[in-house]
């Protein structure tokens, strides 16, 4: 019998004067694509950069069977992120606006997953009661509010836009979280885990995380995307519209 992933997302402007976060998810034949992005606040076009980056991820064809000798999904993901940078840069150039964005991506194909990120948006996985941060923020070691990698800037080099990519597995019962810093900078790992382990469906959990971050005093846009894997490896996706 076909099973479905439970997917939910929430994004709020919060106390900021504008919304620069973007979030999206898209079912694919054997799994799903999920992405969040956070426009860099110092640029007026960063909201557009974030929207373009997420849209590019959801539309990208990541992998063709047999395209690599070992079946790795990494080349497709790296190519998709490079395309997101190009598309965002072109969109900003057309408007004559500067901009840049972070990106966090989860690609699930059957029992495999690929996590990729640029900047300080994060991906977490809850497995057997243990919440693990799978990404490491690209931030300056001294000036912690300065990110060292982003997408969309016309001045960016290949190193500035290179994603960190992790290939891993997907197990029944896993819960995945993608978040922007408005959420994970305001809540502890224990607080994140408490919401994800309470058994609520993904949409309720995503909303609870955003509401908790705002209640905790977050002054940023707040975005959370939650994916719950059912007891059997799922073949379809619900809550993905």
């Amino acid at each position: 019998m076909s099973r479905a992933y439970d997917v939910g997302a929430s994004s709020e402007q919060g106390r900021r004067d504008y919304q620069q976060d973007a979030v999206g998810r898209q079912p694919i034949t054997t799994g799903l694509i999920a992405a969040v992005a956070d426009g860099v606040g110092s640029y007026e076009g960063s909201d557009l950069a974030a929207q373009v980056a997420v849209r590019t991820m959801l539309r990208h064809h990541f992998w063709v069977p047999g395209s690599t000798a070992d079946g790795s999904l990494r080349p497709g993901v790296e190519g998709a992120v490079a395309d997101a940078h190009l598309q965002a840069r072109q969109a900003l150039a057309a408007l004559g606006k500067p901009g840049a964005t972070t990106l966090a991506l989860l690609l699930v194909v059957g029992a495999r997953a690929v996590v990729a990120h640029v900047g300080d948006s994060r991906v977490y996985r809850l497995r057997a009661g243990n919440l693990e941060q799978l990404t490491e923020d690209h931030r300056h070691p001294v000036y912690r509010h300065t990110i060292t990698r982003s997408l969309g800037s016309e001045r960016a080099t290949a190193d500035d836009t290179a994603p960190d990519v992790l290939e891993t597995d997907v197990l029944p019962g896993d819960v995945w979280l993608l978040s922007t810093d408005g959420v994970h900078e305001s809540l502890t790992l224990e607080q994140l885990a408490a919401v994800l382990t309470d058994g609520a469906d993904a949409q309720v959990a995503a909303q609870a995380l955003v509401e908790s971050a705002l209640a905790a005093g977050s002054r940023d846009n707040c975005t959370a995307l939650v994916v719950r894997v059912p007891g059997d490896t799922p073949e379809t996706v619900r809550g993905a519209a």
Side-chain angles (χ1 to χ4, degrees), residues 188-207:
T188 66
L189 193 68
E190 291 75 19
Q191 289 173 314
L192 295 174
V195 173
L196 297 175
T197 57
D198 73 356
D201 66 44
Q203 185 60 40
V204 172
Q207 291 174 340

Side-chain angles (χ1 to χ4, degrees), residues 44-130:
E44 62 176 323
S46 291
D47 55 342
L48 176 61
Q51 294 164 15
V52 171
V54 169
R55 187 165 62 243
T56 302
M57 292 299 102
L58 302 187
R59 294 177 177 176
H60 198 84
H61 183 65
F62 284 91
W63 178 68
V64 176
S67 60
T68 61
D70 60 358
S72 174
L73 299 169
R74 178 184 294 268
V77 168
E78 292 174 338
V81 174
D83 189 34
H85 168 62
L86 176 62
Q87 295 297 327
R89 189 176 65 185
Q90 291 176 341
L92 292 167
L95 292 179
K97 292 183 176 182
T101 184
T102 71
L103 177 69
L105 170 73
L106 171 66
L107 170 66
V108 177
V109 178
R112 294 188 294 162
V114 182
V115 170
H117 83 292
V118 176
D120 60 359
S121 294
R122 295 179 182 175
V123 180
Y124 297 83
R125 180 178 62 197
L126 178 71
R127 174 174 290 177
N130 179 54

Side-chain angles (χ1 to χ4, degrees), residues 146-220:
T146 300
I147 61 172
T148 57
R149 298 189 208 178
S150 62
L151 305 177
S153 172
E154 64 178 358
R155 299 187 302 273
T157 67
D159 288 341
D160 295 333
T161 62
D164 288 346
V165 180
L166 170 69
E167 295 190 77
T168 184
D169 60 348
V170 177
L171 294 181
D174 283 349
V175 183
W176 300 80
L177 167 64
L178 285 68
S179 61
T180 59
D181 62 347
V183 171
H184 56 249
E185 288 294 320
S186 301
L187 301 174
T188 66
L189 193 68
E190 291 75 19
Q191 289 173 314
L192 295 174
V195 173
L196 297 175
T197 57
D198 73 356
D201 66 44
Q203 185 60 40
V204 172
Q207 291 174 340
L209 288 167
V210 168
E211 291 170 2
S212 296
L214 292 171
S218 177
R219 303 190 63 83
D220 204 348

